[in-house]
């Protein structure tokens, strides 16, 4: 349960001390960096100009986070009455906006309705703060885009000690180092006494706090069963939760599994693809308390 590393050095020209000035954000760095990023975005939506918001090509924790920031940037500019002076481009790392097709299509529709542009297959390589230019790798070669505000999210990989050990996948995610585990049991495919939970686990879905909550009972069952000399029975189905904020006071409570099925916790009560105040309330009130309890081992 090592978590992952943020590879900030992979973005040429960027350093952490740039966050919070000259239109540069990087909310993954720390709580303080998140607050500084918000201040820069708030100032940008008052001034106007061009915002570049996107994600890396690697797997990442909470893949919905950059989408949320794009939505909140648009909503903030609209609330200030300055939307006509703000252009927002979301730089997607692939041809899709989200890993679950039905959710990707919903986000695409919402971006269209709100005038958020999309640059597909754009992966951030470098920034030039002096010129306010960002360089992206694309299938056609490098492309430069100007910005007035940019949020940098770096590539994310397993910690070096894991990445340079025998534990990672060899044929999948070879540049990222996620631990080679069975997707259902989270037990290592080659070392039966090793399990992985959380971000470092090499599974197709599940780099969220909600997923970790369901990793724990599976691994616990298999460890206790191993000690007792019997086979464990619990399995993880890839459950991932993404409360996708679409504006202040509205969110979609997206929950899905390995097969991209929507698996709502409140079927018939909270439609997962509708922007609802109750989903926002869940994110702001209920889930925050749950996260804090998890950090203390109480949930």
């Amino acid at each position: 349960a090592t978590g992952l590393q943020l590879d900030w050095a992979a973005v040429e020209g960027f350093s952490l001390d740039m966050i919070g000035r000259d239109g540069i954000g990087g909310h993954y760095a720390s709580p303080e960096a998140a607050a500084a990023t918000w201040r820069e975005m708030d100032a940008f939506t008052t001034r106007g100009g061009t915002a570049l918001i996107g994600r890396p090509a690697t797997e990442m924790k909470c893949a919905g986070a950059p989408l949320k920031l794009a939505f909140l940037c648009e909503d903030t500019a609209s609330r200030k009455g300055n939307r006509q002076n703000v252009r927002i481009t979301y730089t997607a790392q692939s041809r899709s906006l989200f890993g679950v097709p039905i959710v990707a299509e919903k986000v695409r529709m919402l971006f269209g309705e709100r005038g958020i542009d999309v640059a597909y297959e754009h992966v951030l390589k470098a920034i030039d703060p002096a010129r306010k230019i960002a360089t992206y790798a694309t299938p056609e070669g490098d492309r430069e885009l100007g910005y007035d505000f940019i949020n940098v999210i770096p590539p994310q990989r397993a910690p070096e000690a894991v990445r340079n050990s025998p534990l990672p996948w060899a044929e999948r995610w070879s540049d990222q180092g996620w631990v080679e585990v069975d997707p259902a049991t989270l037990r290592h495919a080659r070392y039966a006494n090793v399990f992985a939970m959380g971000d470092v686990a090499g599974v197709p879905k599940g780099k969220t706090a909600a997923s970790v909550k369901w990793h724990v009972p599976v691994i616990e069952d298999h460890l206790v069963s191993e000690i007792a000399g019997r086979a464990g029975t619990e399995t993880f189905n890839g459950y991932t939760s993404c409360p996708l904020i679409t504006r202040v006071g509205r969110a979609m409570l997206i929950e899905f599994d390995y097969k991209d099925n929507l698996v709502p916790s409140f079927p018939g009560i909270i439609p997962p693809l509708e922007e609802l105040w109750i989903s926002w309330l869940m994110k702001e009130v209920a889930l925050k308390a749950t996260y804090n309890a998890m950090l203390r081992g109480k949930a």
Side-chain angles (χ1 to χ4, degrees):
T2 61
L4 54 70
Q5 281 187 336
L6 301 170
D7 189 4
W8 295 103
V11 181
E12 185 181 343
F14 174 83
S15 61
L16 289 173
D17 61 355
M18 295 177 180
I19 296 173
R21 55 190 179 90
D22 298 325
I24 297 174
H27 74 278
Y28 268 72
S30 66
E32 294 75 20
T37 299
W38 184 266
R39 288 193 297 271
E40 280 300 298
M41 190 191 75
D42 187 48
F44 159 75
T45 53
T46 299
R47 295 191 309 268
T50 297
L52 299 177
I53 298 171
R55 57 154 292 173
T58 61
E59 299 295 311
M60 63 178 291
K61 50 183 175 180
C62 190
L67 297 172
K68 299 174 194 180
L69 188 63
F71 278 126
L72 287 171
C73 184
E74 192 279 333
D75 186 51
T76 303
S78 295
R79 288 170 180 267
K80 292 179 177 180
N82 197 35
R83 182 65 182 88
Q84 71 278 8
N85 295 317
V86 168
R87 180 182 181 186
I88 304 167
T89 297
Y90 184 83
T91 53
Q93 89 290 1
S94 67
R95 292 296 307 169
S96 177
L97 291 169
F98 200 81
V100 178
I102 192 171
V103 179
E105 178 60 16
K106 178 66 176 183
V107 172
R108 187 194 66 78
M109 292 169 60
L110 290 175
F111 273 10
E113 291 171 8
R114 297 180 192 174
I116 298 174
D117 299 328
V118 180
Y120 291 104
E121 296 182 295
H122 277 57
V123 178
L124 182 64
K125 288 181 59 177
I127 66 169
D128 183 339
R131 296 192 301 145
K132 289 200 168 185
I133 295 289
T135 303
Y136 292 85
T138 79
E140 290 75 40
D142 289 354
R143 182 187 179 195
E144 292 187 343
L145 296 176
Y147 68 84
D148 298 287
F149 170 77
I150 185 171
N151 186 62
V152 177
I153 300 180
Q156 301 179 22
R157 315 181 198 281
E160 188 174 356
V162 173
R163 203 164 64 246
N164 295 330
S165 77
L167 297 178
W169 286 87
E171 70 275 15
R172 300 179 67 185
W173 304 301
S174 58
D175 64 326
Q176 298 168 55
W178 313 121
V179 176
E180 183 182 0
V181 295
D182 180 279
T185 65
L186 304 174
R187 185 192 289 265
H188 201 282
R190 290 172 284 112
Y191 301 97
N193 62 330
V194 174
F195 292 82
M197 75 169 75
D199 293 344
V200 79
V203 294
K205 313 279 189 193
K207 289 189 183 352
T208 68
S211 300
V212 176
K213 183 173 172 59
W214 293 108
H215 289 175
V216 174
V218 172
I219 293 177
E220 179 183 287
D221 172 67
H222 285 270
L223 287 174
V224 170
S225 298
E226 182 82 13
I227 293 168
R230 61 176 187 268
T233 59
E234 293 291 325
T235 58
F236 175 62
N237 70 351
Y239 175 81
T240 307
S241 176
C242 178
L244 188 55
I245 297 168
T246 56
R247 63 177 80 238
V248 174
R250 290 288 185 273
M252 299 186 296
L253 188 56
I254 307 294
E255 301 165 280
F256 52 92
D257 63 15
Y258 280 142
K259 297 180 180 179
D260 292 337
N261 296 316
L262 296 181
V263 288
S265 296
F266 308 96
I269 300 173
I270 302 180
L273 297 178
E274 289 189 21
E275 302 173 79
L276 302 171
W277 67 268
I278 193 169
S279 299
W280 165 271
L281 199 65
M282 288 282 293
K283 169 69 173 173
E284 283 297 288
V285 180
L287 292 182
K288 190 175 292 185
T290 302
Y291 292 156
N292 288 334
M294 284 177 63
L295 290 172
R296 291 163 177 78
K298 297 180 179 179

